Amino acid sequence: MKSSLSLLFVLLGLFCHGQNLIPRPERADKREGEFLVAKQTEIYSPAFPDLFDYLNDHIERVCGYRLAAGGHRRSIQQISIEKHEGGLSEEGYLLDISPSRITIRANDRGGAFYALQTLFQLMPVSVYRPDAAQHAETFAIPCFHIEDAPRFAYRGVMLDVSRNFSDKAAVMRYIDWIARHKLNTLHWHLTDDNGWRVEIKKYPELTSRGAWRGPGEVLPPSYGSGNERYGGFYTQDEAREIVRYAADRFITVIPEIEMPGHAMAALAAYPSLGCLGEGYEVPSVWGVKEDVFCAGNDSTFRLLEDVLTEVIDLFPSEYIHIGGDECPKVRWKACPKCQKRIRDEKLKDEFELQSYFVQRMEKFLNGKGRKIIGWDEILEGGLSKTATVMSWRGSAGGIEAAKSGNHVIMAPNTHCYLDYYPTRDLENEPRGIGGFLPIEMVYALDPHEGLNAHEREYILGVQGNLWTEFIAELDHAEYMLLPRLAAIAEVGWSYDRKDYPDFYRRMASLRKQYDINGYDYGKHMFAADSAATAPAGR
Ligand code: ACM
Ligand code: ZN
């Protein structure tokens, strides 16, 4: 009887903890016992010294005290973060929790950082209470042996700050959500028709004029800005601060400077860069605009090169996103300068002119040691071998690009557009842009769909996109992102993740952390019938 009871507890332990992590680790073995964190516990972190503070900040939030740094000692309870020489892949880690010691081993700082995220998830939920500092003198972490590494190197979220502006503090909060889910990239959509959001010293009007819209147009309140003057931008110092804040959380910030379309804010600031040369306003209403950068005008390229020169100075990312989506060709068709460019460069049509535009900017950025990412329209009219395609109009563009040997990030609107409604019951929902994207659908994304083993190597990873036409407030953004971000995270991180019911069960634990942190998140997946109605195998 006693032994079957203890077997039951072992099984319960497995059920309660072993599978409760999100994203699901490659391997997690529950072991007997627990490690007790107490005041005399030490942290030993010679290889990743800044993680000493990161871990201690967390401990302080939950217990109200900081742990001391210790030399490597077996005689004392330690949390030890060590460099692992060889054998672990990038961002991978080993996490061994025994009653006397917690040992983290990683090749790189990313792996060590993610081991800490896993450790935080294993801490009992009670320690996450805002008032926990008064209660948690000590707390127990269950013993485990975990071996883990991400499936994809690129795991991102796109944040549109043009349609509605998020200030620096809000962007930092986004970064915290991203880090908690072991995602490693913030794709920062900094420019669009409805506002230019980053200071460019050489062209001050981009922000003095291009960052502001209205007053004038009468808008429904759902557009956030109403018909008031509305806007904002990041100074270069603020952008640098955000890049640093993200880097501390192992997140790369990739800036997007949109071209040749979605350029109204820039044209309002510098009208000579458009085919008509005058009459542009920063529009309050979003959409695909016919006015785009003139591709026949050399000053367009001069300005964009100058802008990118400042941008690469702010952002150390390997990639710069240059947009490329939704560029109507009406103005180019009627513009003598654009038509002259087509003739001079012996281009076939306006699609090849777009390709000329993109490739010219790519050459410029390559010359500065950077690579480009563009939305999947950059395939139209011909693509260089070195551009990375972000597939958004479904997965087809990504599949085509991977088959032709280009790197790809999968962000198809069929699975990754987090501004779509998470439910069909719209009565009590905050505003979405339309569509229907329940978390089961997000989870069902297979970034390798339609590709053979060789072609799969071109898939860098996945990304969730948060466009903000109708998302003016941070809690609304939080609601749209969570918990669907957890599904993006698992698609990007976990190898073996066909099992939606298992994901659903593990979400119960992450959900408690959302609750205790006061996060505003969609509850639809937890409705009684949601798992039951999830299509089998999703
Ligand atoms: C996009 O959603 N227009 C990339
Ligand atoms: Zn033109």
Side-chain angles (χ1 to χ4, degrees):
M1 177 66 189
K2 196 154 173 252
S3 69
S4 62
L5 253 185
S6 54
L7 178 66
L8 180 68
F9 279 121
V10 169
L11 287 175
L12 265 178
L14 263 177
F15 188 75
C16 293
H17 296 294
Q19 313 282 333
N20 264 5
L21 296 162
I22 286 189
R24 181 190 163 108
E26 218 173 334
R27 177 172 175 194
D29 298 331
K30 178 83 183 76
R31 299 272 158 87
E32 288 267 332
E34 51 194 26
F35 179 96
L36 203 64
V37 175
K39 275 191 176 144
Q40 61 273 25
T41 305
E42 290 180 349
I43 301 174
Y44 170 66
S45 182
F48 307 105
D50 66 312
L51 292 182
F52 171 82
D53 282 328
Y54 184 76
L55 172 57
N56 240 339
D57 288 349
H58 195 83
I59 301 274
E60 186 170 22
R61 268 196 299 277
V62 298
C63 315
Y65 56 78
R66 297 180 83 82
L67 302 180
H72 190 271
R73 285 197 288 171
R74 289 256 159 232
S75 56
I76 196 141
Q77 296 271 93
Q78 279 193 330
I79 303 174
S80 169
I81 311 174
E82 300 166 23
K83 187 151 170 67
H84 187 78
E85 301 302 338
L88 279 175
S89 43
E90 264 181 55
E91 303 180 70
Y93 65 88
L94 300 175
L95 170 59
D96 203 71
I97 306 169
S98 76
S100 60
R101 192 168 193 82
I102 294 179
T103 307
I104 287 166
R105 291 201 180 85
N107 272 338
D108 52 49
R109 187 173 165 277
F113 182 82
Y114 293 133
L116 290 181
Q117 295 306 326
T118 300
L119 191 64
F120 298 164
Q121 281 196 31
L122 289 171
M123 290 178 181
V125 158
S126 58
V127 307
Y128 288 96
R129 288 188 190 293
D131 59 352
Q134 290 149 36
H135 304 296
E137 278 275 294
T138 62
F139 62 88
I141 304 178
C143 290
F144 263 99
H145 177 78
I146 295 176
E147 298 175 14
D148 200 8
R151 182 183 191 197
F152 291 104
Y154 184 109
R155 305 179 303 282
V157 178
M158 188 227 49
L159 173 61
D160 166 13
V161 291
S162 176
R163 272 55 176 270
N164 274 297
F165 180 64
S166 292
D167 65 13
K168 185 182 78 179
V171 176
M172 288 174 170
R173 193 166 155 104
Y174 277 96
I175 289 170
D176 287 338
W177 297 331
I178 295 172
R180 283 271 176 260
H181 292 83
K182 297 193 175 106
L183 299 162
N184 65 4
T185 307
L186 171 64
H187 163 182
W188 205 9
H189 187 78
L190 284 167
T191 74
D192 209 302
D193 298 306
N194 313 99
W196 183 285
R197 302 286 177 226
V198 61
E199 178 191 22
I200 301 296
K201 304 261 191 208
K202 193 162 182 180
Y203 299 97
E205 304 232 334
L206 285 172
T207 45
S208 65
R209 170 139 178 67
W212 304 94
R213 62 185 187 242
E217 286 173 272
V218 178
L219 300 175
S222 55
Y223 281 80
S225 56
N227 64 346
E228 303 294 316
R229 183 171 189 264
Y230 174 89
F233 65 94
Y234 311 98
T235 65
Q236 294 203 347
D237 283 346
E238 286 178 317
R240 283 202 176 90
E241 206 181 325
I242 284 170
V243 167
R244 255 195 320 273
Y245 186 87
D248 285 348
R249 285 148 189 80
F250 203 70
I251 289 167
T252 301
V253 182
I254 296 181
E256 178 180 353
I257 303 296
E258 265 271 20
M259 60 189 82
H262 288 293
M264 286 296 284
L267 297 184
Y270 295 98
S272 67
L273 305 181
C275 295
L276 301 180
E278 60 181 9
Y280 308 114
E281 292 291 330
V282 182
S284 296
V285 178
W286 56 274
V288 175
K289 311 293 181 191
E290 292 184 343
D291 287 298
V292 302
F293 283 118
C294 175
N297 191 343
D298 279 329
S299 60
T300 299
F301 292 96
R302 249 192 322 275
L303 175 129
L304 288 172
E305 288 177 6
D306 289 343
V307 164
L308 289 171
T309 300
E310 293 193 31
V311 163
I312 60 183
D313 197 41
L314 296 174
F315 297 92
S317 55
E318 176 183 7
Y319 294 96
I320 304 291
H321 201 304
I322 52 115
D325 62 319
E326 298 179 323
C327 179
K329 309 294 186 289
V330 229
R331 295 286 184 252
W332 290 359
K333 282 194 168 124
C335 172
K337 286 186 195 165
C338 286
Q339 290 305 312
K340 180 170 185 313
R341 179 84 74 196
I342 288 178
R343 285 192 306 277
D344 290 352
E345 297 293 331
K346 304 193 171 28
L347 306 171
K348 199 169 78 203
D349 56 15
E350 288 72 23
F351 288 96
E352 288 200 357
L353 182 59
Q354 171 167 307
S355 180
Y356 165 86
F357 199 119
V358 168
Q359 295 198 21
R360 184 162 163 177
M361 296 317 298
E362 182 182 13
K363 276 200 198 87
F364 174 78
L365 283 166
N366 289 167
K368 303 269 183 194
R370 307 302 179 94
K371 300 176 182 165
I372 65 155
I373 301 174
W375 299 108
D376 59 54
E377 286 94 331
I378 66 171
L379 283 157
E380 297 162 359
L383 184 62
S384 80
K385 275 288 168 214
T386 43
T388 294
V389 172
M390 188 168 269
S391 194
W392 76 275
R393 295 174 300 176
S395 298
I399 292 171
E400 180 189 336
K403 283 185 183 298
S404 60
N406 284 86
H407 282 125
V408 171
I409 295 154
M410 283 294 187
N413 55 356
T414 47
H415 297 75
C416 295
Y417 268 42
L418 304 180
D419 56 338
Y420 289 8
Y421 284 106
T423 169
R424 284 198 198 283
D425 170 22
L426 308 188
E427 281 278 294
N428 303 305
E429 282 299 302
R431 182 74 195 254
I433 200 162
F436 172 54
L437 184 63
I439 189 167
E440 294 93 325
M441 260 322 264
V442 181
Y443 195 77
L445 173 65
D446 174 6
H448 283 161
E449 186 191 345
L451 299 172
N452 66 30
H454 169 68
E455 292 155 358
R456 287 174 183 197
E457 289 173 17
Y458 291 99
I459 306 297
L460 299 180
V462 297
Q463 178 170 289
N465 287 342
L466 193 71
W467 299 103
T468 60
E469 285 91 344
F470 296 112
I471 302 174
E473 305 296 336
L474 194 64
D475 56 357
H476 186 178
E478 190 170 80
Y479 182 91
M480 299 309 266
L481 284 175
L482 305 178
R484 290 182 291 184
L485 205 58
I488 297 276
E490 188 143 315
V491 172
W493 184 280
S494 306
Y495 283 87
D496 178 21
R497 50 136 222 110
K498 293 284 179 290
D499 188 349
Y500 181 81
D502 180 58
F503 170 76
Y504 171 81
R505 190 180 54 70
R506 281 179 287 118
M507 271 305 293
S509 164
L510 193 58
R511 178 192 191 182
K512 283 189 192 139
Q513 291 192 35
Y514 291 172
D515 283 337
I516 271 159
N517 282 295
Y519 287 170
D520 197 356
Y521 61 95
K523 310 284 190 305
H524 325 91
M525 81 175 287
F526 305 108
D529 61 350
S530 174
T533 56
R538 282 186 164 183

